[in-house]
């Protein structure tokens, strides 16, 4: 009887061990990292769906979701569907901090993707303890060069070229263009990391403005102030000159300045250079800027023109937008959102079939520079670099809002954020569009 009891105990223990092993085999290898199950990868984004810049940037999460929905309809990432949770930060730093904490602690997302804004995200990164929790912080929509500091932002990867890079390239445009070089030049920019990064870039390039740059706190620019600034320049510059006016601000601020020029009948008084952030024609039109006002304005870009349906990436994203983002006009913001979503899919694939947060970060360091993308400039991800794109080309907007390359052909210049070295002509050729816009990482 003792032997029978012992045998029953051994049999019971064996059954428990086998059952436990079977249970463990069904749990993902990365069970310690939130946001990944056998069927889902949960990602999070904060962006301004309401507030002063919502009209400009409120399309970002919808564009990203549309692309993810398209990928989900085509098998997802190794069988997992991407679930993008979007929270409204109103483009306010404290709100961004709260909502990013909610994404990490309450929604338990695997990674943050496509967060927007310098002041908003610097505060959110610290408040949500993204570094401490090793939360991947992917493809941040800001050109603040400070985010390239891996020691301070170890989980962050930028996507936009830096504002310092942009300023250096604008300085080269002015120096190389006979109609611009001899003219007085002025800068109106946001008084935050955005504008200050631009000021730094112009200083590195050795460009001296006719007067000290005018910096205004984001959200504080009014129609009256814009009119006063333009009227002051108009009065101080000889009538025979056509001053260069560089605008480095969000699209709503750029629109205020251009509408002030309309009110004062000064639209043709200046050579306008709209920065890459504020030069989105569709949004400027939506904010009431007249087509004739932007006709001839210079703008910087690292993408193809969002109106160029002959570009294979633009054409594919337009199709996805039409089916999965119904009723939303395709523009530069939608292009940016879908492109970042495509980069995210490639990063998740590169992280493998059992992704971990650490593995996702390592995958971008190792392979991110090789990802297919719509960008006309190279990506610069590596173990030591968190820089996304590092170049710009310049075009002039026409009355339809199309950005046409200066000289009739895209001329790309690449540069950095820290040296006085002038931008250099690039021969970079991007990868072809993956078949049907679905990356395989092959």
């Amino acid at each position: 009887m003792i032997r029978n009891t012992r045998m029953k105990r051994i049999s019971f223990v064996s059954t428990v061990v086998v059952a436990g092993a079977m249970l463990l085999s069904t749990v993902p290898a990365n069970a310690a990292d939130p946001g990944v199950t056998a069927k889902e990868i949960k990602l999070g984004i904060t962006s301004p769906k309401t507030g002063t810049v919502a009209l400009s940037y409120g399309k970002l999460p919808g564009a990203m979701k549309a692309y993810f929905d398209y990928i989900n309809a085509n098998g997802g990432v190794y069988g997992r569907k991407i679930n993008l949770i979007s929270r409204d930060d109103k483009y306010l730093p404290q709100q961004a901090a709260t909502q990013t904490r909610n994404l990490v602690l309450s929604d338990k997302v695997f990674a943050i993707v496509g967060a927007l804004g310098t002041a908003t995200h610097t505060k959110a990164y610290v408040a949500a303890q993204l570094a401490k929790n090793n939360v991947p912080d992917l493809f941040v929509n800001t050109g603040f060069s400070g985010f390239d500091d891996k020691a301070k932002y170890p989980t962050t990867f930028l996507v936009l070229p830096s504002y310092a890079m942009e300023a250096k390239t604008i300085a080269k445009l002015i120096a190389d263009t006979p109609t611009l070089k001899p003219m007085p030049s002025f800068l109106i920019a946001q008084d935050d990391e955005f504008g200050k990064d631009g000021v730094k870039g112009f200083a590195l390039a050795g460009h001296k403005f006719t007067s000290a740059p005018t910096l205004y706190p984001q959200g504080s620019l009014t129609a009256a102030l814009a009119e006063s600034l333009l009227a002051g320049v108009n009065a101080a510059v000889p009538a025979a000159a056509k001053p260069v006016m560089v605008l480095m601000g969000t699209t709503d601020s750029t629109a205020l300045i251009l509408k002030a020029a309309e009110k004062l009948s000064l639209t043709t008084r200046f050579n306008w250079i709209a920065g890459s952030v504020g030069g989105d024609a569709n949004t400027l039109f939506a904010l009431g800027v007249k087509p004739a006002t932007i006709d001839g304005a210079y703008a910087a870009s690292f993408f193809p023109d969002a109106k160029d349906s002959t570009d294979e990436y633009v054409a594919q994203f337009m199709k996805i937008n039409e089916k999965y983002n119904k009723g939303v006009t395709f523009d530069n913001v939608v292009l940016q959102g879908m492109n970042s979503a495509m980069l995210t899919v490639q990063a998740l694939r590169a992280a493998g079939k059992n992704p971990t947060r650490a593995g996702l970060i390592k995958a971008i360091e190792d392979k991110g520079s090789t990802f297919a993308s719509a960008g006309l400039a190279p990506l610069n991800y590596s173990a030591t670099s968190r820089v996304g794109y590092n170049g710009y080309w310049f075009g002039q907007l026409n009355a339809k809002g199309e950005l046409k390359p200066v000289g009739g052909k895209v001329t790309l210049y690449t540069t950095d954020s820290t040296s006085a070295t002038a931008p250099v002509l690039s021969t970079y050729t991007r990868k072809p569009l993956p078949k049907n816009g679905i990356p395989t990482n092959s």
Side-chain angles (χ1 to χ4, degrees):
M1 182 168 181
I2 292 174
R3 183 178 175 182
N4 287 344
T5 301
R6 183 178 297 162
M7 291 298 292
K8 287 179 181 177
R9 286 176 179 168
I10 292 171
S11 177
F12 174 74
V13 171
S14 299
T15 301
V16 170
V17 170
V18 171
M22 291 175 65
L23 177 62
L24 288 172
S25 71
T26 65
V27 177
N30 59 312
D33 283 346
V36 178
T37 67
K39 296 183 178 180
E40 180 185 74
I41 300 173
K42 194 186 296 184
L43 305 175
I45 179 174
T46 66
S47 62
K49 297 189 201 177
T50 57
T52 57
V53 300
L55 183 60
S56 307
Y57 307 115
K59 294 179 179 181
L60 266 172
M64 294 189 76
K65 182 180 184 302
Y67 183 82
F68 290 145
D69 287 347
Y70 175 65
I71 293 297
N72 291 343
N74 285 276
V77 177
Y78 296 125
R80 293 184 178 93
K81 301 297 177 67
I82 299 174
N83 175 13
L84 181 66
I85 299 174
S86 174
R87 287 182 174 267
D88 182 14
D89 63 23
K90 304 181 189 297
Y91 206 57
L92 299 173
Q94 187 55 54
Q95 188 77 357
T98 299
Q99 295 292 38
T100 306
R101 276 199 306 266
N102 287 337
L103 287 170
V104 173
L105 300 178
S106 300
D107 300 318
K108 299 188 183 304
V109 298
F110 180 56
I112 301 295
V113 295
L116 178 88
T118 304
T120 49
H121 199 58
T122 48
K123 191 171 185 69
Y125 191 91
V126 174
Q129 297 185 313
L130 299 189
K132 179 181 178 182
N133 293 310
N134 203 37
V135 180
D137 181 30
L138 310 186
F139 315 128
V140 181
N141 284 293
T142 169
F144 173 48
S145 60
F147 280 125
D148 186 35
D149 183 348
K150 184 178 176 180
K152 191 171 183 180
Y153 301 101
T155 68
T156 296
F157 294 87
L158 290 161
V159 67
L160 307 182
S162 77
Y163 303 127
M165 292 178 191
E166 182 172 3
K168 288 173 68 176
T169 314
I170 291 174
K172 181 168 180 57
L173 171 74
I174 295 171
D176 290 351
T177 306
T179 56
L180 302 180
K181 183 177 180 179
M183 296 298 168
S185 61
F186 301 85
L187 172 65
I188 302 177
Q190 289 182 191
D191 188 12
D192 55 16
E193 291 88 347
F194 179 178
K196 290 172 184 175
D197 222 25
V199 170
K200 178 184 82 172
F202 283 112
L204 287 170
H207 182 84
K208 297 185 186 301
F209 289 101
T210 303
S211 61
T214 298
L215 302 179
Y216 59 89
Q218 198 283 321
S220 72
L221 187 66
T222 63
L225 177 56
E227 290 170 21
S228 175
L229 291 173
L230 295 182
V233 173
N234 180 53
V237 174
K242 189 173 183 179
V244 175
M245 183 64 73
V246 181
L247 307 177
M248 295 191 77
T250 54
T251 317
D252 57 324
S253 296
T254 301
L256 269 177
I257 294 168
L258 294 177
K259 288 165 75 175
E262 291 173 352
K263 184 175 179 181
L264 298 173
S265 299
L266 294 175
T267 56
T268 59
R269 176 70 164 109
F270 300 98
N271 283 296
W272 300 102
I273 300 180
S276 60
V277 174
D280 180 59
N282 279 349
T283 306
L284 291 173
F285 290 157
L287 290 166
V289 176
K290 297 175 182 177
T293 301
I294 70 165
D295 192 13
Y298 293 90
S301 182
F302 54 94
F303 273 144
D305 179 24
K307 292 180 179 292
D308 183 7
S309 59
T310 65
D311 182 275
E312 59 178 350
Y313 280 89
V314 172
Q316 181 62 49
F317 289 156
M318 281 179 168
K319 288 180 185 176
I320 296 170
N321 189 67
E322 186 175 349
K323 183 172 182 179
Y324 292 94
N325 204 20
K326 292 183 183 296
V328 175
T329 302
F330 190 87
D331 60 12
N332 290 329
V333 177
V334 176
L335 172 60
Q336 172 68 19
M338 290 201 178
N339 186 70
S340 289
M342 176 182 278
L343 292 175
T344 302
V345 168
Q346 290 172 90
L348 292 170
R349 288 185 61 83
K353 294 184 178 180
N354 291 299
T356 63
R357 284 174 168 173
L360 180 57
I361 291 169
K362 183 73 163 51
I364 301 174
E365 290 180 340
D366 290 348
K367 301 176 182 177
S369 64
T370 69
F371 290 167
S373 88
L376 298 176
L379 291 163
N380 290 263
Y381 304 127
S382 72
T384 57
S385 172
R386 293 309 206 254
V387 173
Y389 298 108
N390 75 331
Y392 283 101
W393 62 276
F394 275 94
Q396 286 183 281
L397 293 164
N398 62 23
K400 295 178 181 178
E402 299 166 330
L403 188 63
K404 298 297 185 181
V406 173
K409 172 179 148 183
V410 169
T411 302
L412 179 74
Y413 290 93
T414 56
T415 187
D416 60 33
S417 302
T418 57
S419 76
T421 305
V424 297
L425 187 64
S426 173
T427 58
Y428 172 76
T429 301
R430 70 181 180 185
K431 282 190 169 184
L433 176 77
K435 186 178 180 180
N436 298 321
I438 303 171
T440 62
N441 289 40
S442 59

